[in-house]
Amino acid sequence: MDHFLYRDGRLFAEDVALDTIAAEIGTPFYCYSAATLTRHFGLFDEALEGLDHLVCFAMKSLSNVAVLKLLGDLGAGVDVVSGGEYARARAAGIPGERIVFSGVGKTRDEMAQALEGGLRQFNVESEPELLVLDAVARSMGRRAPITLRVNPDVDAQTHEKIATGRKEDKFGVPLARARDIYAQAAILEGIEVVGIDVHIGSQLTSLAPFEAAYGKIARLTEELRADGHDIRRLDLGGGLGIPYIRDNEMPPLPSDYGAMVHRTLGHLGCEIEIEPGRLISGNAGVLVSRVLYVKEGEDRTFLILDAGMNDLARPAMYGAWHDVVPLVEPAAGTPRRPVDIVGPVCESGDTFARARDMPPLAAGDLVAFRSAGAYGAVMSSEYNSRPLVPEVLVRGDHSAVIRARPTFDDMIKRDIVPSWL
Ligand code: LLP
């Protein structure tokens, strides 16, 4: 459930009509609902009730500092994957003890930055990374708390580009090597082993792959404890999918996920961390865009929008499906016809949907891409020198621009023309 609903025929974000924001700041823009973010965070928090737990929002899905502050104030931790994300999390006031640092290619600088500023743990992904982290921590006179990300060789049955838990994927260490690497970690002075980490992929629509992976983690926990390691924390990653409102697909609810975690891991007495991104932010955001032209092709109709693949990359990148709805609610029974929904960028990949059944729309009309809160703004670029899309946060009847649209000057002044040119 989200808070983008029609009222008297106009699409609202909570108590703010989206067309009023469009009139104020122009299009395209992202708009997020604080109530939806709050609700989705709460669902996970409740689902793990009874277990010592921390919900670490995967901020790669939506990293605006205002959103992080909102979630941080609710008690959320964050999962960061770069020095930049770490800096954003701290700027949002998230305390170090609620920050986990993931990622397959952490640099020495990033390790030092997080050790200096404080963090909950690093999720280490390889032996060479473990050795570098040990060296960095020792050079600072610190011990780095770590989990080792294991690759359970489970197929998450999701899109090829976002599956991460099969042995051919670049992530984690093979389960079969885990005990050896833990033995190695235990004798490194700069390293303190605190637990195990796993993340098998994103947009999972079934609990079965999670359950298969977590069963393997439960067994590994017991083996490692028998080897003498103090495994007290399990980071279970993110990945629970959301409905993108197509074919009525209905991914499991956070409560089902939580019950499965209780069932598979509850007996171990570990602290549980999860790293959901998409389920918290995905349906908490829309991308609002204006129809520039309706162009009749030879045998297709093109709806040309002012948002492009640089603003919302998922359809071009993954063939992802986003529901597109007009800001003015069509009357019941309005006939629909298939149109291609495209952006203005100069390549055919800039296509959001082909042959999508849409109600009649004309130049100047506004539409919203739903489920665009996760991996929307964060993956946008200035391709074609189109300035980054602004972001707006709504709470009740308050709305605020939380990232302004850069001017052309802002964009251009980042380039430097050398004096010798
Ligand atoms: N933890 C780790 C270590 C991850 O790599 C990810 C996502 C998450 C948590 C959060 O997963 P979520 O709960 O959001 O599914 N750009 C793609 C998604 C990439 C996901 C990468 N890792 C998309 O637009 O679908």
Side-chain angles (χ1 to χ4, degrees):
M1 191 213 136
D2 61 47
H3 292 77
F4 298 96
L5 298 170
Y6 288 110
R7 278 192 207 168
D8 298 327
R10 294 161 80 198
L11 190 62
F12 274 66
E14 304 191 22
D15 299 330
V16 180
L18 286 166
D19 55 27
T20 60
I21 302 175
E24 278 162 27
I25 66 165
T27 52
F29 65 90
Y30 279 96
C31 179
Y32 311 119
S33 151
T36 311
L37 290 162
T38 303
R39 182 182 130 80
H40 289 168
F41 168 75
L43 290 178
F44 275 117
D45 211 24
E46 276 163 36
L48 296 181
E49 219 173 306
L51 295 169
D52 186 4
H53 70 273
L54 183 66
V55 179
C56 295
F57 175 56
M59 62 174 281
K60 63 167 75 69
S61 69
L62 174 55
S63 58
N64 190 291
V65 171
V67 170
L68 300 180
K69 176 169 187 323
L70 183 152
L71 292 170
D73 288 352
L74 297 170
V78 285
D79 167 43
V80 309
V81 292
S82 69
E85 286 195 351
Y86 182 88
R88 279 180 178 275
R90 295 314 303 260
I94 313 267
E97 65 267 21
R98 284 199 248 138
I99 301 179
V100 300
F101 205 131
S102 300
V104 73
K106 303 173 198 78
T107 64
R108 286 168 188 264
D109 284 350
E110 288 171 333
M111 292 169 179
Q113 175 192 5
L115 281 170
E116 188 60 47
L119 86 167
R120 188 174 181 84
Q121 92 229 2
F122 291 100
N123 295 330
V124 171
E125 297 228 12
S126 67
E127 287 165 276
E129 182 196 338
L130 182 69
L131 297 177
V132 169
L133 180 59
D134 173 54
V136 171
R138 277 188 292 114
S139 75
M140 299 172 68
R142 305 277 171 92
R143 287 190 88 195
I146 68 131
T147 70
L148 197 62
R149 176 167 176 183
V150 296
N151 183 324
D153 193 21
V154 166
D155 186 350
Q157 285 157 14
T158 181
H159 190 285
E160 174 61 27
K161 290 189 183 171
I162 54 176
T164 57
R166 305 160 302 180
K167 61 175 185 281
E168 61 270 32
D169 299 320
K170 69 178 177 183
F171 299 97
V173 301
L175 200 56
R177 296 265 306 115
R179 286 174 80 178
D180 282 353
I181 304 173
Y182 272 96
Q184 197 186 343
I187 55 172
L188 296 173
E189 260 173 52
I191 296 292
E192 184 196 1
V193 170
V194 298
I196 309 175
D197 171 48
V198 68
H199 169 77
I200 58 172
S202 197
Q203 186 53 20
L204 272 73
T205 51
S206 147
L207 287 183
F210 286 118
E211 190 152 5
Y214 297 171
K216 293 185 180 191
I217 297 303
R219 281 193 293 284
L220 180 63
T221 304
E222 278 159 0
E223 285 168 13
L224 291 174
R225 283 178 170 172
D227 290 347
H229 302 285
D230 179 14
I231 301 298
R232 51 190 184 274
R233 190 179 289 170
L234 300 177
D235 182 332
L236 306 178
L240 196 57
I242 60 170
Y244 279 93
I245 321 185
R246 182 191 199 185
D247 303 333
N248 296 324
E249 64 182 355
M250 242 313 150
L253 300 172
S255 53
D256 302 332
Y257 173 86
M260 182 272 294
V261 170
H262 276 268
R263 192 165 68 238
T264 48
L265 299 164
H267 60 288
L268 295 168
C270 285
E271 205 181 325
I272 299 291
E273 293 163 1
I274 56 169
E275 303 170 348
R278 191 189 312 266
L279 203 140
I280 292 179
S281 55
N283 283 325
V286 295
L287 171 65
V288 176
S289 176
R290 192 176 292 278
V291 178
L292 294 175
Y293 302 104
V294 180
K295 169 162 144 175
E296 297 298 339
E298 200 145 296
D299 53 5
R300 322 182 67 87
T301 301
F302 297 98
L303 207 61
I304 302 173
L305 304 183
D306 67 358
M309 64 190 285
N310 67 299
D311 305 313
L312 178 64
R314 304 191 69 257
M317 201 153 167
Y318 314 113
W321 199 96
H322 283 265
D323 199 18
V324 183
V325 296
L327 257 56
V328 176
E329 187 175 23
T334 304
R336 291 168 182 262
R337 66 174 182 133
V339 294
D340 285 7
I341 306 176
V342 303
V345 171
C346 303
E347 54 182 286
S348 301
D350 187 24
T351 297
F352 293 115
R354 287 178 77 77
R356 178 75 61 89
D357 279 334
M358 294 292 290
L361 283 161
D365 288 349
L366 294 164
V367 295
F369 288 83
R370 298 183 60 98
S371 317
Y375 307 108
V378 287
M379 289 176 67
S380 60
S381 76
E382 291 180 343
Y383 185 38
N384 279 208
S385 288
R386 296 164 45 79
L388 288 181
V389 182
E391 295 174 282
V392 174
L393 181 66
V394 167
R395 173 145 79 185
D397 59 4
H398 292 284
S399 91
V401 173
I402 56 171
R403 186 179 77 190
R405 193 188 308 279
T407 62
F408 293 148
D409 266 355
D410 294 334
M411 190 169 64
I412 293 164
K413 73 181 178 214
R414 292 200 310 262
D415 294 2
I416 299 166
V417 179
S419 59
W420 42 260
L421 204 65

